[in-house]
Amino acid sequence: MGSERNAAYDMFDADPASRGLGIELVEAADGAAVARMRVTDAMINGHAIAHGGFVFLLADTAFALACNSCGPATVAAGGEITFVRPARVGDLLTAYATERTRYGRSGIYDVTVTRDDGAVIAEFRGRSRTLVDRPAPADGATPGR
């Protein structure tokens, strides 16, 4: 991956949800991205393992970074995850996102989430959609995408 700043870095800088959970952007370029997050006490469910929603959020963030690493602005059209192993308090999770294909305004991306011991925690597949710039309606409403 290249080391030059791109739209993914700008998007991440404007993302308080991901940054607020301690997610770090490691790198993003050329349709790929790496992000990581340390599992905290606040992320643990009633089974004493990381809540799947937090693992999904990390994978989704890496997916978003990969989608936006080439510009223009791209959003999720959908995503699904398979949880493979649990994560626990203190685990450092790393999400590796890779573009599989882009066609028209759509794309498919795969994300593998690993624990710091290298074990795979989850596999995520995301579907993206590139936004089309449209003029704002006269009434000030947000235009459809």
Side-chain angles (χ1 to χ4, degrees):
M1 262 185 271
S3 60
E4 291 184 27
R5 188 170 175 91
N6 56 54
Y9 289 85
D10 295 334
M11 181 200 71
F12 188 76
D13 288 347
D15 180 358
S18 295
R19 288 182 296 101
L21 289 171
I23 294 176
E24 300 172 57
L25 188 172
V26 177
E27 58 184 327
D30 305 321
V34 179
R36 66 180 168 221
M37 174 184 78
R38 177 87 51 196
V39 178
T40 67
D41 288 326
M43 298 174 182
I44 299 303
N45 66 20
H47 297 290
I49 59 176
H51 189 290
F54 291 104
V55 177
F56 188 100
L57 193 142
L58 173 62
D60 184 57
T61 297
F63 161 53
L65 293 166
C67 290
N68 285 280
S69 66
C70 298
T74 302
V75 297
E80 62 184 52
I81 195 164
T82 300
F83 300 108
V84 179
R85 287 181 187 81
R88 303 193 190 295
V89 170
D91 285 346
L92 180 63
L93 304 183
T94 304
Y96 301 90
T98 306
E99 178 186 285
R100 303 300 299 152
T101 189
R102 275 191 291 170
Y103 51 100
R105 291 176 41 221
S106 299
I108 297 173
Y109 294 75
D110 287 336
V111 182
T112 299
V113 180
T114 63
R115 219 168 32 207
D116 40 0
D117 65 1
V120 173
I121 297 301
E123 293 287 348
F124 173 100
R125 172 153 280 188
R127 297 176 309 282
S128 68
R129 190 76 171 160
T130 299
L131 300 177
V132 174
D133 289 332
R134 296 183 183 160
D139 64 4
T142 303
R145 299 282 185 200

